[in-house]
Amino acid sequence: MNAPLPDVPEVRVVGLPQLTQGFDLVERLGLDMHLKVHGPLDPMGGEQLARLADEMSLHGRGGAGFPFGRKLRAVGQAAIRRGVRPVVVVNGSEGEPACRKDTVLLNRAPHLILDGALLAAEALGARTLIVAVTRNSTEISVRAALSERGLSDRRGQGLRARVVRTPERMVSGEASAVIRAAGGGPALPPGRRERAAESGVGGAPTLLSNAETFAQLAVAARIGPRRYRHTGLDAEPGTVMLTLSGAVARPMVVEVPTGVPLRYVLQLAGAPPLPQGVLTGGYHGSWIDSVAVDDAVVSRASLAAVGGALGAGAILPIGPETCPLGESLRVANWLAAETAGQCGPCRLGLPAAAGGLSDVLNGGGPAALAALREVTQAVKGRGACKHPDGSARFLASTVSAFTDDLAAHVLGGGCGRPTLGVLPLPGPGHQEWEESIPSGEKLAVDWTLCQGHGLCADIVPELIRLGPDGFPALADASVPTHLRGRAQRAVRRCPALALRVEATSPERPALPPGGGPKALGSGRG
């Protein structure tokens, strides 16, 4: 089984380095070395900076791919219209276990990112700069970089700069969650969607973009848009940072010009010559097959044309020896456990979808497949953030990409291959992961006792919903660790003693029924 990725894996470059320039000289570019490698940087006016972003075709590198110039102008216009100072936020929150490219940049080239952010702050007249990070190493690096520049959060400074630490969870990197955390709240998406350009941190217009995006801006500001466009494709110039993991000999982060064949990048990391599938864009992305790999180059448009996605820059091949549906189920369970628990499509739909995929793998037949497709479709476009949509995209892609394996599981009792666990997920020693991983237990109902009282569905709706007949329908996914307390309450509250918890793995056996107030066994309230 794959180990979790280190904070800073091996870094490679195809062609001439831009973002990774100087990485061959030192492990981390402090301010002095940064200036020796990249040179000084002159400030730019707002419209001048926006034109630069337009001319270099700069799109956000965090997954959404929004044009940076349009975002910059929208924030500036909102600030002028309202007469308030805007805020600039660097989103370095990288809570997805398959992504490390922003962590690499923040750890090894923090000043390049700060260059771009400070350019934007100067152009907008912002007086607040916030860098959101998820890891200890990243926080240490960014705090050191701010100190090297004499920047702090003390009052009286022309620009106040600070670091915000967010939990290492999938939803914590969502733009609205970062803004909420930057304002002193929890790193969770709010209940409604608002445009950060109009109302972000503290209600002020906020320019929030991914760490790599600001680094790209800093490179282009030094060399100019014409020279920047000499690298990569005409429609998508420059380089991109990719994280390669999964079934590879050498997990790595690589800087590569757009237009390079995807097959070449996979070979660089030691991927299987004929992978049965490659997950593109990370765990909110899409699967492509070996034929599509041969046709694709590294670019948003090319990957989209073959059914993939550039997304957050994670590329994960799997070899022919593992069950692709089993690999996808591991990710689906993790995505379900990563819910913020604030809206029905997330806290109800994602566990149900993971349970549906589990039913398909366990011989549920065509009815299980139909149920999986129905619940996956139901969560789309209905969440408070993009987590349900991204998770549904991943599940829908799984169903459409591995049709032969799907048929084997639905009609033939399985594909005959084990699930090797090649897709990286955080290990059990990780604190945040421990709070959200499947617990190795699942809820079960003794139908000879159940009388359909429905109390269990009120206590833990993430895992239990009432069917049309009023009786509970259980998600077949493992109980996430952070829901074990409420699962215990649901078991104790069942008046008919019908609900219990069963072990699904030998590592964490369930306690027997009647095991006292701390036991996850049958009981009553």
Side-chain angles (χ1 to χ4, degrees), residues 254-343:
V254 57
E255 182 182 12
V256 56
T258 56
V260 169
L262 180 60
R263 173 70 68 185
Y264 177 79
V265 178
L266 290 169
Q267 290 172 350
L268 187 68
L274 290 173
Q276 64 172 320
V278 177
L279 182 58
T280 60
Y283 295 158
H284 278 175
S286 301
W287 290 99
I288 60 174
D289 59 21
S290 291
V291 175
V293 169
D294 288 334
D295 293 337
V297 301
V298 177
S299 81
R300 291 189 310 275
S302 176
L303 287 170
V306 297
L310 183 60
I315 306 293
L316 302 103
I318 58 172
E321 66 282 350
T322 190
C323 173
L325 299 184
E327 295 287 345
S328 297
L329 177 60
R330 292 176 63 246
V331 175
N333 278 330
W334 180 78
L335 289 170
E338 285 295 286
T339 171
Q342 298 184 130
C343 61

Side-chain angles (χ1 to χ4, degrees), residues 194-429:
E194 291 184 344
R195 292 182 65 233
E198 293 289 336
S199 179
V201 178
T206 298
L207 176 71
L208 181 145
S209 204
N210 163 265
E212 183 193 340
T213 311
F214 285 110
Q216 295 282 0
L217 186 68
V219 167
R222 283 183 166 90
I223 66 177
R226 180 175 299 179
R227 182 177 163 193
Y228 183 90
R229 296 186 69 91
H230 285 169
T231 301
L233 300 169
D234 288 340
E236 299 179 39
T239 64
V240 295
M241 298 286 285
L242 302 174
T243 310
L244 286 100
S245 63
V248 297
R250 300 177 302 279
M252 65 177 60
V253 168
V254 57
E255 182 182 12
V256 56
T258 56
V260 169
L262 180 60
R263 173 70 68 185
Y264 177 79
V265 178
L266 290 169
Q267 290 172 350
L268 187 68
L274 290 173
Q276 64 172 320
V278 177
L279 182 58
T280 60
Y283 295 158
H284 278 175
S286 301
W287 290 99
I288 60 174
D289 59 21
S290 291
V291 175
V293 169
D294 288 334
D295 293 337
V297 301
V298 177
S299 81
R300 291 189 310 275
S302 176
L303 287 170
V306 297
L310 183 60
I315 306 293
L316 302 103
I318 58 172
E321 66 282 350
T322 190
C323 173
L325 299 184
E327 295 287 345
S328 297
L329 177 60
R330 292 176 63 246
V331 175
N333 278 330
W334 180 78
L335 289 170
E338 285 295 286
T339 171
Q342 298 184 130
C343 61
C346 219
R347 64 187 179 90
L348 302 177
L350 296 189
L357 183 57
S358 178
D359 288 343
V360 170
L361 263 71
N362 292 324
L369 179 59
L372 170 61
R373 285 175 167 149
E374 181 180 355
V375 71
T376 300
Q377 184 65 34
V379 303
K380 291 181 180 178
R382 297 174 54 218
C385 71
K386 296 297 185 181
H387 183 53
D389 293 349
S391 302
R393 183 184 307 113
F394 168 78
L395 285 162
S397 172
T398 298
V399 170
S400 62
F402 302 110
T403 52
D404 290 345
D405 295 271
L406 199 66
H409 281 277
V410 171
L411 302 175
C415 65
R417 287 172 291 181
T419 298
L420 301 179
V422 300
L423 299 181
L425 291 172

Side-chain angles (χ1 to χ4, degrees), residues 20-66:
T20 59
Q21 191 174 356
F23 280 23
D24 58 333
L25 302 174
V26 292
E27 283 300 308
R28 179 185 179 275
L29 279 75
L31 183 58
D32 290 342
M33 181 60 74
H34 167 74
L35 292 174
K36 288 178 183 177
V37 170
H38 292 284
L41 184 60
D42 296 325
M44 304 175 73
E47 184 54 35
Q48 183 185 8
L49 189 62
R51 283 200 305 271
L52 170 66
D54 292 343
E55 290 170 2
M56 63 184 285
S57 299
L58 180 59
H59 288 69
R61 302 300 175 89
F66 194 82

